[in-house]
Amino acid sequence: MIIRSKAPLRLGLAGGGTDIAAYYNVYGGNVLNATVDMYAYCVIEPADNGKIVFDAPDLDVIEEYDSEERLKTTNVLALHSGVYNRVTADYNERRQLSFTMTTYSDAPAGSGLGSSSTMVVAIIKAFVEWLNLPLGEYDIASLAYKIEREDLKLAGGKQDQYAATFGGFNFMEFYDDERVIVNPLRLKRWIRNELEASLVLYYTGVSRESGRIIDQQIENTNKKNKISVENMHELKRQAVFMKEALLKGELKKFSACLEKGWLAKRQIADTITNPFIDGLYQYAMDNGAESAKISGAGGGGFMMLYCDPRKRVNLIRALKKKDGVVLTPSFTEIGTQGWTIH
């Protein structure tokens, strides 16, 4: 028997940063995101040899343990151990398991596409499939968040876990009582097609440590830094405006929201942008892009660019002269999935 799962990566379209607890616990957060056809994958092969093996070929890391109730989480593959520990403690009556788990992702860690949280969701979904756990979408997303933020003490927001679990275009609301509302957007097909035809993803080749950037954002929010907090409010407003623009098919307004969101985001913490990103942004504008933003916390990873579809080929050609990687992903409507091969 082999258990497989996958979960889609996401593009943060607007409001990213307002899903940080330091902000939404006080003001409430709004985020608009969409999943794309890039995935994190997990494969579980049950065993009876008293061993647990974590194999991450894309990271070139293999970790092996004796099967125990609880594994250490100070290793490279802490996410894997963290999920295992929660599952055995909360859903398997602390009974140890034996298996080989193989994981890999279409995007590197630090890409800004929510790859770490998406991997956690994929791993949880594999355990749900294997052990027939009674977990719905909100349960899986909430569990993924708790594993990362509470158990492993990793800094970050809350949108990625819900995007990977639910899939599609979603407008998300975050509140101080840990309440999350995911509102799926029913976009007309032509709007989705037009958006796909207008977007380009460019991987800068610079993987960044999002935790450091988020720590600064949290510090600025807790200290009620006026510039930082006011720009967070602007990010939240732009998420609402962008949602309305998308539902109505007003793509010029979508582009304007993308631009305003980036201008606000770069004011939240001084680590979000740098001369390299600013130079790349200007280069893209000079070669056909109308608006752009860094996806995720900032500092590197993927840049999302919006352009007139007629200028897309020229923009891609110009970007390919740089050292990064150009992608033209499609949107996906389905969230995490799990299946068993007998």
Side-chain angles (χ1 to χ4, degrees), residues 11 15 38 72 82 97 133 211-212 248 282 287 308 324 327 329:
L11 293 180
M38 298 169 66
K72 65 178 183 179
L97 299 167
L133 303 181
R212 184 171 58 87
K248 294 177 180 178
Q282 191 57 53
N287 284 278
D308 184 316
L327 298 173

Side-chain angles (χ1 to χ4, degrees), residues 54-295:
F54 296 134
D55 184 4
D58 53 342
L59 302 177
D60 198 25
V61 175
I62 298 178
E63 295 177 348
E64 182 174 326
Y65 304 88
D66 291 327
S67 183
E68 297 181 64
E69 172 192 319
R70 186 172 183 82
L71 305 177
K72 65 178 183 179
T73 56
T74 56
N75 46 21
V76 176
L77 302 180
L79 298 176
H80 302 55
S81 298
V83 175
Y84 172 82
N85 291 343
R86 265 281 183 160
V87 167
T88 55
D90 293 359
Y91 301 101
N92 204 46
E93 298 178 342
R94 299 191 181 277
R95 294 194 301 267
Q96 61 196 40
L97 299 167
S98 180
F99 57 90
T100 294
M101 177 186 291
T102 305
T103 57
Y104 50 98
S105 177
D106 289 334
S111 64
L113 301 180
S115 54
S116 296
S117 299
T118 303
M119 182 58 73
V120 173
V121 168
I123 295 172
I124 292 173
K125 185 64 176 179
F127 277 115
V128 168
E129 177 73 15
W130 179 22
L131 304 176
N132 194 29
L133 303 181
L135 298 178
E137 291 167 325
Y138 278 99
D139 301 318
I140 291 173
S142 177
L143 182 61
Y145 178 82
K146 290 175 180 176
I147 290 169
E148 286 189 87
R149 307 293 174 246
E150 296 177 10
D151 298 354
L152 300 177
K153 309 298 183 187
L154 300 174
K158 212 170 192 176
Q159 64 161 312
D160 299 348
Q161 298 86 355
Y162 287 84
T165 303
F166 283 83
F169 284 83
N170 290 296
F171 181 78
M172 301 180 181
E173 304 170 57
F174 303 97
Y175 298 99
D176 64 349
D177 54 359
E178 294 305 317
R179 186 163 52 103
V180 179
I181 300 174
V182 177
N183 304 281
L185 301 188
R186 296 180 60 186
L187 297 186
K188 293 180 179 178
R189 179 63 59 176
W190 76 264
I191 298 173
R192 175 173 158 169
N193 288 342
E194 181 69 10
L195 191 57
E196 282 185 354
S198 304
L199 289 180
V200 175
L201 278 185
Y202 178 78
Y203 183 55
T204 62
V206 179
S207 177
R208 82 284 183 273
E209 174 52 61
S210 62
R212 184 171 58 87
I213 300 169
I214 292 167
D215 284 341
Q216 185 181 9
Q217 180 182 328
I218 292 171
E219 181 181 357
N220 287 343
T221 304
N222 286 335
K223 290 182 177 179
K224 292 187 166 45
N225 178 293
K226 186 176 181 180
I227 294 176
S228 183
V229 172
E230 285 182 352
N231 279 284
M232 294 279 279
H233 294 339
E234 179 64 15
L235 284 173
K236 189 165 70 170
R237 283 192 292 270
Q238 290 305 321
V240 175
F241 296 153
M242 183 182 284
K243 176 191 70 172
E244 295 174 357
L246 273 182
L247 289 171
K248 294 177 180 178
E250 298 172 341
L251 276 301
K252 287 293 184 183
K253 289 186 179 179
F254 169 89
S255 179
C257 290
L258 195 70
E259 185 73 5
K260 290 176 182 176
W262 173 239
L263 292 175
K265 187 176 184 68
R266 54 186 292 138
Q267 300 297 320
I268 293 171
D270 58 23
T271 48
I272 287 175
T273 192
N274 53 52
F276 171 76
I277 292 174
D278 290 342
L280 180 61
Y281 174 91
Q282 191 57 53
Y283 178 81
M285 294 300 113
D286 293 341
N287 284 278
E290 294 181 12
S291 57
K293 71 180 287 286
I294 289 289
S295 185

